Each structure stands twice: as structure tokens, then as C-alpha cells.
Amino acid sequence: MRDSLAVKSISELAPLLRTQQISPVEVTRALFERIHALNGEINAYVSFAEEQAIEQAKEKEIEILSGSYKGPLHGIPMALKDIFYFKEENVAFGSKIHKDFIAPYDATVVAKLKSAGVIFTGKLNMHEYAWGGTTNNPHFGPTRNPWDVTKIPGGSSGGSGAAVASDMTIASLGTDTGGSIRMPAAACGIVGLKPTHGRVSKYGCFPLAWSLDHIGPMTKTVEDAAILLEGIAGYDPQDPTSIAQPIVPYSTFLTGDIKGKVVGIEEGYFFKDVDPKIEILVKRAISKLEELGAKIEVVKLPSLKYTEYTETITCYAEGGTIHSQMIRERPQDFGEDVRREVKLAQCLSAVDYLKAQQVRQLIKQDFERIFKTIDILAAPMLPILPPKIGEKPSKNLGVFSSPANLTGLPALSLPCGVADGLPVGLQLIGKAFNEAEVLNTGFAFEQTQPMEGQKPSLTEALNLN
Amino acid sequence: MHIQDLLLVNKIETDEEEMLDLQGKWEDIQTKKLDIDQAIPNTLDVAIRFVPTII
């Protein structure tokens, strides 16, 4: 019974908790059995607090029993990426420099989840300061992909991706500056949503590059992503990039009906040099959308060829500013890869940065043009299958994810099949603040069960399902 | 300006191996920058039409 609780989604657990058929304590204990069995191999958690989590679970149990049920997140145990402030708790951002940092307050997303009744089980590994896509962390060790422990889980939210995929958390949050929610979601075979820039407050989240950073759900299903987005979205005056836009109950928009919707496909950039095994699965997924009633339209986005430069310069300039003091005072305390990036970032000029922002407008205008005729753009999430840990990826892993960071548009990654024993992600990009459409399109595809019978090999090997 | 000089000006210390890596990355950026300069020539029209968004 306990193991079966750990593998369930939020939407499966919530009605059982609400009707008191199960207790939050049972779910939390089931998760910790899983954590004790798997974390030594996967290294998704950098820290966990079992006793405190059980205590929280007992409190939630009493609240629910007393008739104060708060909603679908009440009594759900969850671990988050180690980048969000938890008041009076250590948060290290995957770094040595901040290993003893105590957060002075709760991040807005943490405060929202606390008030929704979430139980916190621990903190999840990440690429140092979120500056990289492998989660091969020199200070906390590499996180391993549950589908193949010799491979990376993607990053920078690799701990979140691996923990959700191996059922060591029911769901999680990640951050995404160039694809750091969606890349690990694709690499680990889970769902990852980067909402529109400004939709979710970043107050109390350590920044990588403020104009590119986003916070979003990493979950087992599209419905869970919708539920979790409802829990964290909303205007926050404490975040200068937050935008006041109406929030809708995203999960109620999941009808699976996409008849008449126009799905765009762009081949000049998004399918250029993609692994043929990935291309086959993604194009098969697009055909499924057509079978479900969507109309497929070919579009062109010529300015995308400037994406890599624009993303790199923007991330270097903003991230390099954030670390400008520490790279001079404590360079030896950065991991090798991040240290080099931060050093290089110090050499850019204001003209480089602002020129990149001009090009960014060009890319934004291209997307605005295509979204006058289409509802969703479908594309691959990663250009290659997850490489081995310690191996330099043969291609820029963020090549297909970064356009949505530069434009701020909502983008979803969801699994669309398995190649060579590793999951493949389909990316769906939508119009600004139209997460509901993106989620519903993903939900419609998910109903075709592209991952039926497929599970990470590690959990199968340990016979835990 | 060479990357070595830029690092020196910015008071960033490196060893030889690191410098080689940074030099490769820097040259890659400069190559891509040429493409950008060709795509968006630095004209008054561009300065007016592609102003980075403030709000």
C-alpha cells in the first residue's frame, strides 16, 4: 500500500486525502521508504528531514480530519530544488560559497505552498547556481538519471527531474533560465512547465539571469502541472518582474478537446541537427495531435538563428553581474565549469548586452507574427538523448528551450516516447499568459498514452513499483 | 581586445589551461557576434525599432 502511494500523482492522492481514505502521514512514510532505497544511487536529494516532514504530515492530518481541507495540495509531500528560500533554513543553491547560508524569509512560492498545506520532505540537487544543464554538481555530487544511472538527468533542476521520475517526491518546482525545468523533464520522462515570464513570483529565489528566469512545476502528469501552477501563480509586488494577469483554474480547462486548434511546426531551427530518433517520436506526436483534430501549419522563424548568441550574452551579462564580487573574492570556491562561465561573463561590454536585447526584440516579433495564425508551436525539447555523466554534450542542450526564455512565452515539456531506453520530450509553446491552452494541448496528447508500460529502469530493478 | 587583456583589466586571474578554454569560448562568441552585426546593422532605424522592453 505504502509503495503504491509514492507512485501516485497529486490528482490521484488529493481525493483520497480529502475523503480521509488515506492519511498524509502514510503518503509521507511511503515516500521516505522510497528515498532511503533510491537516493544513495540517484542523489536527487541534497538533504531531507524525515522527522520534521512526519510532524508536518500529522498536522495536515489533524487539519483534514477537523474539516479544514484546503484543496488538492493539502497533505501532499513535496521536495523542491535547493534554490528557494525557506525561512531560517539552510539553502545552498548547489554551491560551496553559500553552503551555510540561512534564508531570512520564505520565497513567495514556498509561502504559497505552505499555505496550501504542502508537506516538505527535503531539498533537491541542482547545477551549481543553476548555471548549467547537467546537474553534475562538484560540491554535492552528480544526480543520476533514473532511466540509466550512467546518464545525466539534465539540468539545472536535475534533482527535481530525477526525484519526480523515481517517485521520491510527488511533484516539485524547478527554475528555468535556458530550459532548466524542461530539459530535465524531457531527460527524466516527466512533465515540466515554464509559465509565462511574470506569471509566477521569483521573490526569494536565487537568480541566474533575471530577465530569463522562470519558476514552474515539475510533475508526473499534465493535470498535476495545472494543479501546481494554480498553487504558485499570481501577482507579487515584491517581484519587480511579476505581472498582474488574471489567473484561471488551469485544471478545469483540461478537456482534451483540441479540435480546430492550429499547431505550428517550424523545421529550419527546431528540427535542425536533431537526433533522428528524437525527430521520429516528436513528429509522431505531432501527427497524434492532428488525429485529435488539430490542424498542422508550417511556420517560419528566421530570427531563431540568433537565439544561441542572444541567450548566451544575456545570461552571461546578467549572471556575471550577480557573481561579479564572488568571482574576484572566492574564485576557487566555484566549481570548474561555472567558474569559467562567470569569468568569461566579466569580459562582456554594455554594447554586447544591449545589442543582444535588440536581437531579442527581433525574435519576439517573429513569435508574435506566427502566433497570429497558430495556437501552439510543437517542437522537440532536447536535440540529443541524455549524454553520460562527465561527458561534454555533443550539442547545446538548451538550443530548443531557450527561445521560450528569450520571449517569455509559456512552454511545456512532456514525454512522447522512449528511444534507446531513454525518454524523449515533446515541447509545446503557447501565447503569452495562455498556459491553459498549452496545458490542454499537452493533456490531449497525454491521453494517447505515449509512455504506456515505460518506467525508469532503476525503480524496476529495485522492484519498488 | 584579446580575452587575456580583458581578464587582466577586469582583475580576473586564470591559469594557462583555463585561459585556453576561455579563449576558445570567447572566439566562438566573437564569430557569432559578426553574424548578429550583419543581421542588425547599427542604424538609427534599428535603435528606434528594437528598443528593449522596459515594462
Side-chain angles (χ1 to χ4, degrees):
Chain A
M1 178 65 177
R2 281 183 186 169
D3 280 336
S4 67
L5 292 179
V7 303
K8 286 187 185 300
S9 63
I10 297 172
S11 63
E12 288 172 326
L13 289 170
L16 299 174
L17 288 163
R18 180 176 55 79
T19 55
Q20 299 161 24
Q21 291 178 63
I22 58 166
S23 149
V25 179
E26 283 177 87
V27 186
T28 307
R29 286 196 198 285
L31 268 185
F32 274 101
E33 281 183 15
R34 200 90 190 163
I35 294 164
H36 291 309
L38 292 174
N39 196 55
E41 184 76 20
I42 295 179
N43 194 34
Y45 278 75
V46 291
S47 65
F48 48 82
E50 187 167 1
E51 280 181 31
Q52 290 95 315
I54 297 295
E55 281 308 307
Q56 288 175 50
K58 287 176 180 170
E59 287 171 21
K60 309 306 171 201
E61 184 177 52
I62 292 166
E63 288 167 6
I64 295 170
L65 286 172
S66 66
S68 314
Y69 184 69
K70 294 176 178 173
L73 295 175
H74 200 173
I76 301 290
M78 211 180 282
L80 306 187
K81 183 178 184 177
D82 193 23
I83 197 168
F84 304 110
Y85 282 20
F86 277 78
K87 189 177 181 181
E88 291 169 9
E89 287 187 33
N90 172 229
V91 189
F93 324 123
S95 75
K96 180 180 178 184
I97 290 170
H98 283 94
K99 74 178 172 50
D100 298 320
F101 175 74
I102 303 295
Y105 53 85
D106 280 334
T108 296
V109 289
V110 171
K112 279 177 175 274
L113 293 181
K114 278 185 179 177
S115 68
V118 166
I119 297 157
F120 294 100
T121 52
K123 313 240 169 42
L124 299 170
N125 204 4
M126 55 183 281
H127 207 106
E128 182 179 13
Y129 289 123
W131 200 323
T134 66
T135 317
N136 190 0
N137 187 301
H139 315 296
F140 295 93
T143 296
R144 300 176 180 279
N145 192 318
W147 292 77
D148 177 346
V149 293
T150 68
K151 304 283 169 60
I152 64 162
S156 61
S157 313
S160 301
V164 173
S166 57
D167 299 308
M168 288 197 282
T169 181
I170 303 298
S172 187
L173 294 183
T175 60
D176 192 317
T177 306
S180 288
I181 288 172
R182 292 162 290 150
M183 292 192 293
C188 294
I190 65 161
V191 174
L193 173 69
K194 183 199 80 62
T196 311
H197 195 248
R199 174 64 92 193
V200 175
S201 169
K202 295 180 284 184
Y203 181 66
C205 173
F206 193 92
L208 168 53
W210 55 81
S211 77
L212 300 167
D213 292 343
H214 302 68
I215 296 171
M218 297 177 73
T219 56
K220 296 176 185 178
T221 66
V222 174
E223 186 177 5
D224 278 10
I227 292 168
L228 197 44
L229 180 63
E230 281 168 34
I232 60 171
Y235 175 67
D236 179 7
Q238 296 184 103
D239 173 5
T241 66
S242 183
I243 297 175
Q245 280 279 330
I247 307 295
V248 297
Y250 299 100
S251 54
T252 65
F253 279 77
L254 302 180
T255 62
D257 181 4
I258 57 166
K259 286 188 189 72
K261 297 291 179 188
V262 182
V263 174
I265 175 168
E266 194 280 346
E267 300 214 62
Y269 178 85
F270 280 113
F271 286 89
K272 191 183 170 195
D273 298 331
V274 67
D275 182 324
K277 293 177 192 127
I278 294 175
E279 181 171 354
I280 287 168
L281 288 169
V282 171
K283 288 198 169 162
R284 191 180 294 166
I286 293 168
S287 297
K288 280 279 178 195
L289 294 175
E290 192 172 20
E291 285 172 27
L292 291 167
K295 187 186 160 205
I296 308 300
E297 187 175 308
V298 175
V299 295
K300 291 194 187 306
L301 288 160
S303 63
L304 280 182
K305 58 177 176 274
Y306 309 122
T307 296
E308 197 175 349
Y309 176 85
T310 310
E311 167 81 17
T312 303
I313 298 300
T314 305
C315 188
Y316 274 3
E318 296 179 8
T321 304
I322 289 157
H323 297 286
S324 62
Q325 186 180 342
M326 283 301 168
I327 198 62
R328 288 169 176 82
E329 291 178 359
R330 298 176 61 178
Q332 73 283 0
D333 290 334
F334 284 88
E336 185 181 290
D337 63 334
V338 176
R339 181 173 63 240
R340 291 179 182 187
E341 301 282 19
V342 177
K343 283 185 175 180
L344 196 64
Q346 305 308 305
C347 300
L348 296 176
S349 71
V351 173
D352 290 332
Y353 178 61
L354 290 169
K355 187 91 178 176
Q357 302 320 297
Q358 288 181 327
V359 179
R360 193 171 172 180
Q361 295 301 314
L362 195 68
I363 296 169
K364 278 185 182 178
Q365 289 171 11
D366 248 4
F367 272 92
E368 281 167 15
R369 177 180 49 76
I370 64 158
F371 276 117
K372 284 177 182 161
T373 56
I374 67 167
D375 298 298
I376 293 287
L377 183 70
M381 195 64 258
L382 288 169
I384 54 172
L385 293 168
K388 282 195 180 296
I389 293 168
E391 204 173 71
K392 192 180 175 209
S394 60
K395 285 179 186 149
N396 171 6
L397 295 175
V399 64
F400 300 148
S401 50
S402 48
N405 296 85
L406 289 168
T407 57
L409 297 173
L412 179 76
S413 176
L414 75 162
C416 64
V418 174
D420 295 345
L422 291 162
V424 169
L426 165 71
Q427 179 173 213
L428 301 172
I429 303 173
K431 296 174 187 173
F433 296 103
N434 203 348
E435 286 85 358
E437 183 106 272
V438 175
L439 287 163
N440 188 45
T441 308
F443 182 72
F445 176 69
E446 193 181 53
Q447 301 311 297
T448 67
Q449 301 191 319
M451 297 294 279
E452 193 174 18
Q454 303 281 0
K455 286 187 176 177
S457 58
L458 185 67
T459 52
E460 270 184 352
L462 292 177
N463 197 24
L464 283 168
N465 290 311
Chain B
M1 213 170 183
H2 279 285
I3 183 72
Q4 291 94 324
D5 301 324
L6 285 166
L7 289 165
L8 197 65
V9 167
N10 283 289
K11 296 178 182 153
I12 303 291
E13 292 175 6
T14 53
D15 59 29
E16 199 175 333
E17 188 198 340
E18 199 171 57
M19 177 59 77
L20 276 174
D21 182 46
L22 294 185
Q23 194 169 342
K25 286 180 174 173
W26 185 251
E27 284 167 5
D28 188 38
I29 288 172
Q30 298 312 308
T31 306
K32 291 194 174 92
K33 190 174 167 181
L34 287 176
D35 295 340
I36 297 290
D37 287 340
Q38 283 165 9
I40 301 193
N42 196 11
T43 64
L44 183 60
D45 179 51
V46 167
I48 291 168
R49 284 176 53 225
F50 298 119
V51 176
T53 311
I54 304 298
I55 296 173

PDB file of all heavy atoms in Angstrom, chain A residues 181-198:
ATOM      1  N   ILE A 181      13.885  23.751 -16.413  1.00  0.00           N
ATOM      2  CA  ILE A 181      12.748  22.911 -15.999  1.00  0.00           C
ATOM      3  C   ILE A 181      12.511  21.863 -17.080  1.00  0.00           C
ATOM      4  O   ILE A 181      12.376  20.668 -16.821  1.00  0.00           O
ATOM      5  CB  ILE A 181      11.457  23.751 -15.823  1.00  0.00           C
ATOM      6  CG1 ILE A 181      11.543  24.622 -14.576  1.00  0.00           C
ATOM      7  CG2 ILE A 181      10.214  22.856 -15.785  1.00  0.00           C
ATOM      8  CD1 ILE A 181      10.404  25.617 -14.433  1.00  0.00           C
ATOM      9  N   ARG A 182      12.458  22.325 -18.321  1.00  0.00           N
ATOM     10  CA  ARG A 182      12.017  21.474 -19.426  1.00  0.00           C
ATOM     11  C   ARG A 182      13.064  20.447 -19.854  1.00  0.00           C
ATOM     12  O   ARG A 182      12.724  19.340 -20.253  1.00  0.00           O
ATOM     13  CB  ARG A 182      11.608  22.361 -20.605  1.00  0.00           C
ATOM     14  CG  ARG A 182      10.336  23.187 -20.314  1.00  0.00           C
ATOM     15  CD  ARG A 182      10.206  24.358 -21.279  1.00  0.00           C
ATOM     16  NE  ARG A 182      11.213  25.372 -21.019  1.00  0.00           N
ATOM     17  CZ  ARG A 182      11.739  26.176 -21.928  1.00  0.00           C
ATOM     18  NH1 ARG A 182      11.363  26.066 -23.184  1.00  0.00           N
ATOM     19  NH2 ARG A 182      12.656  27.072 -21.591  1.00  0.00           N
ATOM     20  N   MET A 183      14.339  20.811 -19.778  1.00  0.00           N
ATOM     21  CA  MET A 183      15.382  19.841 -20.172  1.00  0.00           C
ATOM     22  C   MET A 183      15.404  18.636 -19.234  1.00  0.00           C
ATOM     23  O   MET A 183      15.378  17.490 -19.707  1.00  0.00           O
ATOM     24  CB  MET A 183      16.751  20.523 -20.236  1.00  0.00           C
ATOM     25  CG  MET A 183      16.856  21.533 -21.365  1.00  0.00           C
ATOM     26  SD  MET A 183      18.549  22.074 -21.675  1.00  0.00           S
ATOM     27  CE  MET A 183      18.936  22.969 -20.180  1.00  0.00           C
ATOM     28  N   PRO A 184      15.451  18.830 -17.906  1.00  0.00           N
ATOM     29  CA  PRO A 184      15.399  17.639 -17.037  1.00  0.00           C
ATOM     30  C   PRO A 184      14.062  16.911 -17.107  1.00  0.00           C
ATOM     31  O   PRO A 184      14.011  15.693 -16.919  1.00  0.00           O
ATOM     32  CB  PRO A 184      15.667  18.209 -15.631  1.00  0.00           C
ATOM     33  CG  PRO A 184      15.498  19.673 -15.722  1.00  0.00           C
ATOM     34  CD  PRO A 184      15.738  20.063 -17.144  1.00  0.00           C
ATOM     35  N   ALA A 185      12.988  17.661 -17.380  1.00  0.00           N
ATOM     36  CA  ALA A 185      11.691  16.986 -17.550  1.00  0.00           C
ATOM     37  C   ALA A 185      11.778  16.010 -18.726  1.00  0.00           C
ATOM     38  O   ALA A 185      11.363  14.853 -18.625  1.00  0.00           O
ATOM     39  CB  ALA A 185      10.584  18.012 -17.773  1.00  0.00           C
ATOM     40  N   ALA A 186      12.354  16.479 -19.837  1.00  0.00           N
ATOM     41  CA  ALA A 186      12.484  15.621 -21.019  1.00  0.00           C
ATOM     42  C   ALA A 186      13.436  14.454 -20.747  1.00  0.00           C
ATOM     43  O   ALA A 186      13.148  13.306 -21.085  1.00  0.00           O
ATOM     44  CB  ALA A 186      12.986  16.444 -22.205  1.00  0.00           C
ATOM     45  N   ALA A 187      14.561  14.753 -20.115  1.00  0.00           N
ATOM     46  CA  ALA A 187      15.585  13.721 -19.880  1.00  0.00           C
ATOM     47  C   ALA A 187      15.103  12.649 -18.905  1.00  0.00           C
ATOM     48  O   ALA A 187      15.566  11.508 -18.959  1.00  0.00           O
ATOM     49  CB  ALA A 187      16.859  14.368 -19.356  1.00  0.00           C
ATOM     50  N   CYS A 188      14.188  13.027 -18.002  1.00  0.00           N
ATOM     51  CA  CYS A 188      13.724  12.087 -16.969  1.00  0.00           C
ATOM     52  C   CYS A 188      12.323  11.544 -17.251  1.00  0.00           C
ATOM     53  O   CYS A 188      11.786  10.782 -16.443  1.00  0.00           O
ATOM     54  CB  CYS A 188      13.749  12.768 -15.598  1.00  0.00           C
ATOM     55  SG  CYS A 188      15.409  13.185 -15.041  1.00  0.00           S
ATOM     56  N   GLY A 189      11.705  11.969 -18.345  1.00  0.00           N
ATOM     57  CA  GLY A 189      10.394  11.412 -18.710  1.00  0.00           C
ATOM     58  C   GLY A 189       9.252  11.910 -17.852  1.00  0.00           C
ATOM     59  O   GLY A 189       8.311  11.162 -17.556  1.00  0.00           O
ATOM     60  N   ILE A 190       9.318  13.174 -17.426  1.00  0.00           N
ATOM     61  CA  ILE A 190       8.219  13.742 -16.631  1.00  0.00           C
ATOM     62  C   ILE A 190       7.686  15.001 -17.347  1.00  0.00           C
ATOM     63  O   ILE A 190       8.124  15.336 -18.450  1.00  0.00           O
ATOM     64  CB  ILE A 190       8.664  14.087 -15.194  1.00  0.00           C
ATOM     65  CG1 ILE A 190       9.725  15.203 -15.191  1.00  0.00           C
ATOM     66  CG2 ILE A 190       9.195  12.844 -14.490  1.00  0.00           C
ATOM     67  CD1 ILE A 190       9.891  15.905 -13.859  1.00  0.00           C
ATOM     68  N   VAL A 191       6.757  15.689 -16.685  1.00  0.00           N
ATOM     69  CA  VAL A 191       6.165  16.905 -17.256  1.00  0.00           C
ATOM     70  C   VAL A 191       6.811  18.123 -16.597  1.00  0.00           C
ATOM     71  O   VAL A 191       6.974  18.165 -15.371  1.00  0.00           O
ATOM     72  CB  VAL A 191       4.632  16.915 -16.993  1.00  0.00           C
ATOM     73  CG1 VAL A 191       4.018  18.240 -17.436  1.00  0.00           C
ATOM     74  CG2 VAL A 191       3.975  15.744 -17.710  1.00  0.00           C
ATOM     75  N   GLY A 192       7.192  19.106 -17.395  1.00  0.00           N
ATOM     76  CA  GLY A 192       7.755  20.351 -16.863  1.00  0.00           C
ATOM     77  C   GLY A 192       7.138  21.542 -17.563  1.00  0.00           C
ATOM     78  O   GLY A 192       7.055  21.570 -18.788  1.00  0.00           O
ATOM     79  N   LEU A 193       6.675  22.503 -16.783  1.00  0.00           N
ATOM     80  CA  LEU A 193       6.040  23.690 -17.367  1.00  0.00           C
ATOM     81  C   LEU A 193       6.819  24.946 -16.996  1.00  0.00           C
ATOM     82  O   LEU A 193       7.013  25.233 -15.814  1.00  0.00           O
ATOM     83  CB  LEU A 193       4.602  23.836 -16.857  1.00  0.00           C
ATOM     84  CG  LEU A 193       3.900  25.145 -17.268  1.00  0.00           C
ATOM     85  CD1 LEU A 193       3.610  25.176 -18.766  1.00  0.00           C
ATOM     86  CD2 LEU A 193       2.603  25.350 -16.477  1.00  0.00           C
ATOM     87  N   LYS A 194       7.257  25.672 -18.014  1.00  0.00           N
ATOM     88  CA  LYS A 194       7.783  27.013 -17.795  1.00  0.00           C
ATOM     89  C   LYS A 194       6.649  27.974 -18.106  1.00  0.00           C
ATOM     90  O   LYS A 194       6.252  28.105 -19.263  1.00  0.00           O
ATOM     91  CB  LYS A 194       8.962  27.299 -18.725  1.00  0.00           C
ATOM     92  CG  LYS A 194       9.584  28.678 -18.479  1.00  0.00           C
ATOM     93  CD  LYS A 194      10.425  29.155 -19.649  1.00  0.00           C
ATOM     94  CE  LYS A 194       9.606  29.741 -20.773  1.00  0.00           C
ATOM     95  NZ  LYS A 194       8.825  30.944 -20.426  1.00  0.00           N
ATOM     96  N   PRO A 195       6.090  28.621 -17.086  1.00  0.00           N
ATOM     97  CA  PRO A 195       4.974  29.545 -17.358  1.00  0.00           C
ATOM     98  C   PRO A 195       5.482  30.814 -18.043  1.00  0.00           C
ATOM     99  O   PRO A 195       6.680  31.000 -18.220  1.00  0.00           O
ATOM    100  CB  PRO A 195       4.439  29.868 -15.951  1.00  0.00           C
ATOM    101  CG  PRO A 195       5.130  28.930 -15.013  1.00  0.00           C
ATOM    102  CD  PRO A 195       6.405  28.533 -15.664  1.00  0.00           C
ATOM    103  N   THR A 196       4.564  31.690 -18.398  1.00  0.00           N
ATOM    104  CA  THR A 196       4.920  32.992 -18.982  1.00  0.00           C
ATOM    105  C   THR A 196       5.757  33.788 -17.980  1.00  0.00           C
ATOM    106  O   THR A 196       5.508  33.719 -16.767  1.00  0.00           O
ATOM    107  CB  THR A 196       3.640  33.796 -19.282  1.00  0.00           C
ATOM    108  OG1 THR A 196       2.735  32.950 -19.996  1.00  0.00           O
ATOM    109  CG2 THR A 196       3.945  35.039 -20.100  1.00  0.00           C
ATOM    110  N   HIS A 197       6.723  34.546 -18.492  1.00  0.00           N
ATOM    111  CA  HIS A 197       7.543  35.382 -17.613  1.00  0.00           C
ATOM    112  C   HIS A 197       6.635  36.388 -16.895  1.00  0.00           C
ATOM    113  O   HIS A 197       5.862  37.091 -17.530  1.00  0.00           O
ATOM    114  CB  HIS A 197       8.592  36.133 -18.442  1.00  0.00           C
ATOM    115  CG  HIS A 197       9.685  36.723 -17.602  1.00  0.00           C
ATOM    116  ND1 HIS A 197       9.846  38.074 -17.443  1.00  0.00           N
ATOM    117  CD2 HIS A 197      10.655  36.136 -16.878  1.00  0.00           C
ATOM    118  CE1 HIS A 197      10.879  38.298 -16.649  1.00  0.00           C
ATOM    119  NE2 HIS A 197      11.400  37.144 -16.300  1.00  0.00           N
ATOM    120  N   GLY A 198       6.719  36.398 -15.580  1.00  0.00           N
ATOM    121  CA  GLY A 198       5.866  37.302 -14.796  1.00  0.00           C
ATOM    122  C   GLY A 198       4.669  36.616 -14.163  1.00  0.00           C
ATOM    123  O   GLY A 198       4.002  37.186 -13.316  1.00  0.00           O
TER     124      GLY A 198
END
